[in-house]
Amino acid sequence: MHNDGYFPQLLRMLLRVSGGARYIFVLTAYVDESELHDLRMFGVAGFLWEENAALQFDAEWEAALSDFGIKRFHMTDFESGYGEFVGWSQNHRIEVLQRLHRIINDTTLLGVWTTLDLDAYNALNPDEQQALGDPYTHCVQVVAARVASSLSDKHQRVEPIAYVLDNRGKGKERLMDSFAYLSAREEYDYLGLGSITWAKSIKVRHLQAADILAYEWTKHSATRTGRQDRPARASLRNLYVGHESKYSGTHLGPNVLKEWELYH
C-alpha cells in the first residue's frame, strides 16, 4: 500500500482539518448532459470509507486499472465503448466491472444516492426553487443527511466526515455557501460536516467508484418512474445484490418536493 502518494497525503490532510475525522465520503453527480435532457432525472451518489479502507481501495483500484490497461474508469465511456474502452468484448467488460464491484463492496461502509425528478423541480415557481436550492446542492444535502443518520445509528454519536466532491459538479460556490451555513449552526451539528473539497477523478480514484453508483441509480430511477422502458440493469444487480444493507438512497419526486414546501 502506497502511503506517500497523492491520495494518502490528501487523506491525512483532510482528516486532520476535519477535526480528527475517521471517515471520508466521496461523491459525484451523473453529469451526462444529453442523458439528463432525455431522462429528465438528476442524480448524485457516493461512498463512505474509513481511513484504512480508503487507502486499501486506492491501492486495489490502481492495480485493477493497471491490469486492464486504462488510466481512469468512467461509466459513460465504458457503457458506450468510447475512448479507452473501444473494442472491448462483452465478456471482458463483465470481468472488469465485477472486479471493480468487488473492490467497492470489500472496502466501503456505505453507498448513498439521491435522484431528483427534474420535471417536478422545474414545475416549482422561482421562489420555491430558490428556497430548495439548485438540484446539485439540494441532492448533496440530502445525501449528507442520510450519511449522518446512518453513522449515528451505528455509533450513537456524531462523527465528523471529510467530503470530497468531483470538480465536474456545477454550483461549487452555492454548495460551499450551504456547507458554511450549516457548519456554523449547532442545530446542524448532527450532519458531521467536517470539511469539503473538490478533486479530479484521475487523482482521487474513489470518485470513479462514485461515478458508477451515480450512473446506475440515476438510470434505475429513470426506469422506475417510466422515463425509459427497460429491465433492471444487470450491472446494478451485481453491485447491489448481497450487499443491500450498505446501500440506501432517496428519490425526490413530486410528492417529496411538495412535502418539502409544506414543512420547511
Side-chain angles (χ1 to χ4, degrees):
M1 204 176 290
H2 305 292
N3 290 317
D4 57 350
Y6 174 84
F7 178 74
Q9 293 183 49
L10 175 66
L11 180 63
R12 288 194 293 270
M13 183 271 291
L14 290 176
L15 297 182
R16 184 174 65 252
V17 302
S18 299
R22 296 190 295 127
Y23 299 101
I24 180 171
F25 189 88
V26 182
L27 180 147
T28 192
Y30 179 47
V31 293
D32 186 319
E33 296 294 342
S34 62
E35 285 275 81
L36 289 173
H37 181 268
D38 292 338
L39 299 178
R40 306 187 306 282
M41 192 73 61
F42 183 79
V44 302
F47 290 101
L48 183 77
W49 283 269
E50 289 185 299
E51 180 179 2
N52 289 337
L55 295 172
Q56 177 187 344
F57 170 91
D58 188 55
E60 293 186 11
W61 197 271
E62 181 182 20
L65 296 186
S66 177
D67 289 346
F68 294 130
I70 57 177
K71 294 181 179 179
R72 179 176 71 102
F73 187 87
H74 184 233
M75 193 65 181
T76 300
D77 291 348
F78 173 80
E79 284 284 294
S80 61
Y82 177 78
E84 295 184 285
F85 309 98
V86 170
W88 282 23
S89 69
Q90 183 64 13
N91 286 340
H92 183 56
R93 289 160 56 84
I94 292 172
E95 175 191 1
V96 169
L97 209 51
Q98 287 180 342
R99 179 168 172 184
L100 297 181
H101 287 174
R102 283 196 299 273
I103 296 171
I104 289 170
N105 285 320
D106 285 348
T107 60
T108 58
L109 285 175
L110 297 171
V112 181
W113 53 269
T114 295
T115 53
L116 171 64
D117 184 326
L118 290 175
D119 284 351
Y121 179 83
N122 291 330
L124 300 173
N125 65 47
D127 289 340
E128 292 167 335
Q129 289 186 5
Q130 183 175 4
L132 189 66
D134 64 275
Y136 181 60
T137 299
H138 187 61
C139 285
V140 171
Q141 290 174 341
V142 173
V143 164
R146 185 171 282 272
V147 171
S149 175
S150 297
L151 272 183
S152 178
D153 290 344
K154 180 177 180 181
H155 297 287
Q156 303 302 311
R157 62 189 177 92
V158 175
E159 291 276 338
I161 303 163
Y163 279 85
V164 178
L165 280 66
D166 195 321
N167 67 357
R168 295 178 304 160
K170 297 180 179 179
K172 295 179 185 178
E173 290 186 7
R174 290 190 297 271
L175 191 55
M176 284 290 288
D177 289 344
S178 175
F179 262 61
Y181 174 87
L182 296 172
S183 298
R185 285 158 175 79
E186 290 185 4
E187 61 265 35
Y188 296 112
D189 282 351
Y190 73 93
L191 291 173
L193 301 178
S195 65
I196 180 173
T197 192
W198 277 265
K200 295 180 179 181
S201 63
I202 198 153
K203 289 282 193 177
V204 178
R205 286 175 276 266
H206 306 66
L207 286 163
Q208 299 172 35
D211 176 67
I212 292 175
L213 191 61
Y215 183 97
E216 292 288 7
W217 276 105
T218 303
K219 291 277 194 174
H220 186 63
S221 291
T223 299
R224 292 183 64 184
T225 55
R227 299 288 166 79
Q228 58 180 9
D229 183 16
R230 58 167 297 163
R233 293 172 54 82
S235 53
L236 175 59
R237 292 198 303 270
N238 183 68
L239 174 67
Y240 179 78
V241 173
H243 306 278
E244 292 88 347
S245 63
K246 77 164 55 187
Y247 290 96
S248 64
T250 305
H251 174 65
L252 301 173
N255 292 333
V256 174
L257 291 176
K258 183 60 68 175
E259 288 174 3
W260 187 94
E261 294 170 43
L262 291 173
Y263 295 109
H264 288 71

